[in-house]
Amino acid sequence: MDFTLSDEQLAIQQVSRDFAENVIKPRAFAMDASGEFPLDIIQQMGALGLLGLPIPEQYGGAGADFLAYCVALEEIARGDASVAITMEAHTSLGATPFLLFGTDEQKKTYLEPLASGQKLWAFGLTEPQAGSDSGGTQTHAELADGEWVINGSKMFITNAGTSMTAGVTVTAVTGVKSNGRKEITNLIVPTGAEGYVIGPPLKKMGWKASDTRPLSFDNCKVPQENVLGSVGGGFKQFMQTLDAGRVAIAALCVGLAQACLDESLKYSHERSQFGKPLHDFQLIQAKLADMATEIELSRLMYYKAAWLHMQGRDFTKEASMAKLFASETSKRAADQAVQIHGGYGFMDDYPVSRYFRNVKVNEIGEGTSEVQRILIAKQLLQSLR
Amino acid sequence: MKIVVCMKETPSTEVKKELGTDMRLVRNPQDAIINPFDEYTIEEGLRLQEKHGGEVVILTMSPAQTTDNIRKAMAMGADRAVVVADPSLAGSDALATGRVLAAALQKIGFDIVLFGQGTADSNGGVVPSITAEYLQLPLLSLATKLTIDGETAVIERSAEVGYVKVEAKLPLVVSVSKSINQPRYPSMKGIMSAKKKPLETLTLADLGLAANQAGSAAAHDKVLAAESVSTQRKREIFVGNDGAAQRIFDFLSDNKII
Ligand SMILES: Cc1cc2nc3c(=O)[nH]c(=O)nc-3n(C[C@H](O)[C@H](O)[C@H](O)COP(=O)(O)OP(=O)(O)OC[C@H]3O[C@@H](n4cnc5c(N)ncnc54)[C@H](O)[C@@H]3O)c2cc1C
Ligand SMILES: Cc1cc2nc3c(=O)[nH]c(=O)nc-3n(C[C@H](O)[C@H](O)[C@H](O)COP(=O)(O)OP(=O)(O)OC[C@H]3O[C@@H](n4cnc5c(N)ncnc54)[C@H](O)[C@@H]3O)c2cc1C
């Protein structure tokens, strides 16, 4: 077993770390306070190739492997959560489905500007009435005169409304299958399509500078060829998309947890009580040790899930496990980081108070912790049948 | 335009520097970074190429135990690299370094050679002028701005008041100052393609130089001693507001700060 990252992975990690430290982190406080989408930072990341890491060069990407992308995401998340989720939603949910399921034509039209970082793309699965229960999707589309006519609404969609967003992939019911189940199809809806209404940005507890919107489709029309992959292939496509997305989210969580540890180490060194720095107290040392141990474990879990994925092996269970454990690790790390900071940790001026607000959603987005446990148990129980 | 960028590897600014008994820096290949001043040198080379086309070649005289830093320069965008590596280079002084670089430059060929203003380790700041002398070419030193128009290069250099403007004909040698640009990050595509770019290694013999023309054998300079500077902060906390301004004033004047 070899845990050494390749020269390329290491170089990508280093540049991402430097960029996060020098460009992103100094802006994190202000981004959180204003909630303004950091267009200039995202554009710089696009130019550096950070928005198309795992996409092959022939489609405008950097041609790095999936682990390199995750490792970069961890570093970016260490700098700021909003920037990291923008990168993740764009890469894993926006761009990758075009690579996996798109036609050559679609790859040329849509994937290239996404992978080269000129445009962002969103993925719209969640609906007001269908969250964990994605089978409950109500948005529907019918073919009429060579066009899809889409009606319905979506909720909490990341990256849908920025000034560099080119469009959204929308999950819609397009009919009924022979087994009586809903036929689900992914449709490509460019920003500006007739009847596609992008709602105002939602006000959030954390991830404030990321773009999260409700969407509505009111007789929205797109050409018949705007089907991603095949009609009826939608359910399988988003399950596959979410599997890899969960590994990336795990990496993002590790970055956030690492930032909590970084700040805790620094503060426990600077702050003295009872004539000693905080880190001389064993109760504080235990917190630091637990944090570091869980972070290490979470990192190994996402490395392994990414490795399985790169080997072309089944990684559904490991992806869920990594996402579940890393998201809960980040929550515990932020909780303990605030604790180590005492009253100062409760103040907006200290980054850990922002970290505390940013980690909660890790247990909700791309499948809640409950859903991850359901998925893991399902895999376990399969072996009994 | 053929642009050659001279780049040195130096120990990371974050590790403690140590001299061995031979008065040479103890160099750990893992801790080597691109001489921070040379990030500006590389950036300027890439900007010249963006404007005038041609190729950017990295030239380094180095123990070459690792190629990480050379790959990093290529990830930033340089097209290829030439490393002069030879056991007899160890202990070279500035004169020998200039002699070797000049021989390598003649072999590579160039329209313009770029140097940095100094280094994070020995910081002699004389290698550019020595190299130019060996090449018998003009040196425009410490450029804060560099423009090339046809066969003429013009630089600006900061002066005590304002700046001076100097020009010379190509081919020539230019050393750039830190304020000339803001170095870029290596791009992801750059990183992925860096390993595919050519890296050529030359020995002294390849350059037609004898072993005693470089390294400690040829050194005129001898480092006798070196000491690290330690800084200690003086801290005094004044409690209460009574006569605060006077107390601060007294403190500053007692310490000869004002
Ligand atoms: C900031 C943010 C960004 C997002 N970005 C996107 C995006 O880009 N694209 C997208 O499609 N979606 C996105 N989402 C939506 C996200 O994926 C959903 O919020 C998530 O899947 C949960 O759905 P829900 O909010 O409707 O909760 P619900 O499904 O209503 O769940 C409520 C609670 O019930 C629990 N629960 C539900 N079913 C069960 C069950 N069977 N057993 C036990 N417990 C259960 C859940 O775990 C949860 O605790 C985003 C959400 C947020 C907050
Ligand atoms: C503590 C110490 C003190 C020393 N003092 C002396 C001394 O007084 N006199 C002396 O002659 N030598 C001295 N040396 C040896 C010194 O390391 C060499 O002379 C060295 O090659 C010159 O480098 P510099 O760092 O001074 O270069 P500088 O002249 O400061 O470098 C300017 C530019 O030259 C280029 N350059 C420099 N070195 C290389 C290289 N190897 N490959 C490619 N480009 C390069 C870079 O573009 C760099 O930005 C000393 C060494 C040590 C460790």
Side-chain angles (χ1 to χ4, degrees):
Chain A
M1 213 178 294
D2 187 353
F3 289 96
T4 331
L5 295 179
S6 70
D7 290 346
E8 286 82 3
Q9 288 162 343
L10 282 172
I12 288 169
Q13 181 182 47
Q14 190 61 52
V15 174
S16 307
R17 184 174 293 169
D18 292 346
F19 187 83
E21 191 64 31
N22 302 329
V23 181
I24 301 176
K25 220 170 154 191
R27 294 265 300 277
F29 177 85
M31 278 193 267
D32 183 66
S34 72
E36 216 169 286
F37 183 75
L39 187 67
D40 62 321
I41 292 182
I42 303 300
Q43 282 173 335
Q44 278 181 71
M45 287 170 66
L48 275 178
L50 282 166
L51 298 181
L53 272 169
I55 311 292
E57 248 182 287
Q58 67 181 119
Y59 304 119
D65 59 30
F66 185 72
L67 181 58
Y69 157 57
C70 292
V71 166
L73 190 57
E74 179 190 329
E75 295 302 329
I76 298 296
R78 203 167 161 185
D80 182 65
S82 296
V83 174
I85 192 59
T86 303
M87 169 173 164
E88 192 277 341
H90 165 78
T91 311
S92 288
L93 309 183
T96 304
F98 284 110
L99 175 69
L100 296 179
F101 317 116
T103 61
D104 286 347
E105 187 71 29
Q106 288 166 347
K107 285 183 181 130
K108 187 135 198 57
T109 316
Y110 300 108
L111 183 56
E112 282 189 21
L114 304 183
S116 59
Q118 288 149 326
K119 296 282 177 195
L120 287 179
W121 197 268
F123 184 71
L125 170 63
T126 306
E127 300 190 357
Q129 304 306 326
S132 303
D133 178 17
S134 45
T137 298
Q138 291 175 357
T139 297
H140 55 95
E142 285 81 33
L143 259 185
D145 303 328
E147 284 184 318
W148 289 102
V149 182
I150 311 169
N151 280 288
S153 52
K154 294 287 171 185
M155 193 57 179
F156 306 137
I157 307 307
T158 305
N159 287 343
T162 80
S163 59
M164 61 185 285
T165 300
V168 58
T169 305
V170 177
T171 303
V173 179
T174 46
V176 184
K177 289 193 170 171
S178 52
N179 61 8
R181 289 209 176 164
K182 284 174 181 168
E183 176 194 87
I184 303 234
T185 303
N186 285 324
L187 298 171
I188 300 165
V189 181
T191 301
E194 181 189 336
Y196 170 34
V197 183
I198 301 169
L202 295 162
K203 295 218 164 20
K204 311 187 284 287
M205 174 203 289
W207 290 10
K208 288 190 182 221
S210 74
D211 184 76
T212 317
R213 311 230 181 196
L215 310 176
S216 62
F217 303 87
D218 183 12
N219 284 322
C220 167
K221 293 195 181 74
V222 297
Q224 184 168 0
E225 70 263 19
N226 280 24
V227 169
L228 183 62
S230 58
V231 173
F235 192 76
K236 246 184 148 162
Q237 286 172 11
F238 72 65
M239 288 312 257
Q240 204 178 327
T241 302
L242 289 176
D243 273 352
R246 282 171 187 145
V247 183
I249 290 287
L252 181 152
C253 294
V254 171
L256 299 183
Q258 183 66 50
C260 293
L261 178 58
D262 295 344
E263 288 301 319
S264 299
L265 274 174
K266 198 168 92 190
Y267 190 78
S268 65
H269 186 62
E270 287 164 359
R271 173 77 171 172
S272 285
Q273 288 292 282
F274 301 98
K276 291 195 252 185
L278 294 181
H279 61 36
D280 279 6
F281 301 114
Q282 287 191 349
L283 282 172
I284 300 292
Q285 289 182 1
K287 290 183 198 300
L288 295 171
D290 287 347
M291 245 191 240
T293 306
E294 289 192 20
I295 289 169
E296 188 65 18
L297 201 47
S298 304
R299 189 176 284 127
L300 288 176
M301 290 176 87
Y302 93 67
Y303 276 28
K304 181 175 176 199
W307 177 80
L308 285 170
H309 181 34
M310 279 155 44
Q311 302 295 310
R313 287 160 65 170
D314 189 18
F315 68 109
T316 303
K317 184 178 74 194
E318 286 78 5
S320 282
M321 286 175 163
K323 198 268 179 183
L324 172 65
F325 191 74
S327 62
E328 299 194 351
T329 290
S330 68
K331 186 189 65 179
R332 284 189 290 268
D335 186 27
Q336 292 305 311
V338 172
Q339 195 65 22
I340 289 171
H341 281 68
Y344 297 96
F346 196 64
M347 301 297 125
D348 285 350
D349 283 348
Y350 283 77
V352 290
S353 97
R354 179 173 74 248
Y355 297 166
F356 190 84
R357 288 183 284 104
N358 278 338
V359 293
K360 182 58 210 172
V361 69
N362 297 343
E363 296 175 286
I364 297 170
E366 296 199 31
T368 64
S369 280
E370 289 77 10
V371 165
Q372 303 309 331
R373 288 188 165 88
I374 293 170
L375 292 171
I376 295 164
K378 200 166 137 194
Q379 298 265 328
L380 296 176
L381 298 176
Q382 245 171 19
S383 64
L384 295 179
R385 287 195 198 109
Chain B
M1 179 175 309
K2 193 160 175 182
I3 305 148
V4 183
V5 172
C6 293
M7 174 193 106
K8 187 181 182 182
E9 288 187 272
T10 60
S12 163
T13 43
E14 276 155 32
V15 302
K16 209 169 164 264
K17 291 189 189 82
E18 274 178 76
L19 289 185
T21 45
D22 58 359
M23 284 295 150
R24 289 187 210 150
L25 267 184
V26 178
R27 294 172 194 272
N28 180 353
Q30 272 79 47
D31 295 331
I33 58 168
I34 294 179
N35 166 31
F37 291 108
D38 288 339
E39 299 213 354
Y40 302 86
T41 323
I42 299 165
E43 177 66 35
E44 200 56 25
L46 296 173
R47 290 187 187 192
L48 281 183
Q49 183 191 37
E50 277 159 13
K51 230 179 262 155
H52 304 284
E55 71 166 344
V56 175
V57 185
I58 301 292
L59 170 61
T60 188
M61 177 179 126
S62 131
Q65 279 148 315
T66 67
T67 54
D68 293 4
N69 291 312
I70 298 155
R71 296 288 173 205
K72 184 179 173 193
M74 296 205 273
M76 284 174 76
D79 299 292
R80 64 188 178 95
V82 176
V83 185
V84 186
D86 195 301
S88 33
L89 287 172
S92 292
D93 63 3
L95 201 61
T97 304
R99 184 181 299 136
V100 172
L101 291 179
L105 285 163
Q106 265 156 349
K107 194 171 166 81
I108 298 166
F110 56 86
D111 295 302
I112 182 166
V113 184
L114 298 177
F115 282 89
Q117 72 175 62
T119 56
D121 49 9
S122 27
N123 202 21
V126 291
V127 171
S129 36
I130 292 172
T131 311
E133 195 59 29
Y134 271 115
L135 293 168
Q136 289 290 298
L137 286 177
L139 164 72
L140 300 182
S141 64
L142 301 178
T144 54
K145 189 175 174 197
L146 167 63
T147 40
I148 291 178
D149 187 6
E151 292 300 299
T152 309
V154 184
I155 65 136
E156 285 176 16
R157 178 193 308 137
S158 295
E160 211 159 312
V161 198
Y163 63 89
V164 288
K165 219 168 166 171
V166 196
E167 67 165 54
K169 291 261 176 274
L170 264 49
L172 86 169
V173 178
V174 175
S175 75
V176 304
S177 100
K178 254 177 80 162
S179 53
I180 196 166
N181 58 42
Q182 187 57 48
R184 70 193 62 192
Y185 291 95
S187 75
M188 301 300 122
K189 274 188 193 172
I191 290 171
M192 295 308 293
S193 61
K195 268 205 183 148
K196 294 173 209 144
K197 293 180 174 175
L199 195 167
E200 186 186 357
T201 305
L202 300 175
T203 60
L204 279 181
D206 294 331
L207 298 175
L209 291 173
N212 63 4
Q213 285 181 286
S216 44
H220 297 274
D221 300 72
K222 196 167 171 195
V223 180
L224 298 176
E227 213 174 301
S228 61
V229 185
S230 70
T231 43
Q232 255 179 345
R233 250 177 228 157
K234 189 164 184 176
R235 213 162 68 166
E236 210 165 309
I237 296 171
F238 298 108
V239 185
N241 291 326
D242 280 352
Q246 186 62 45
R247 277 190 285 164
I248 291 171
F249 176 81
D250 290 345
F251 175 82
L252 292 175
S253 62
D254 286 351
N255 285 284
K256 302 198 166 56
I257 293 163
I258 51 175

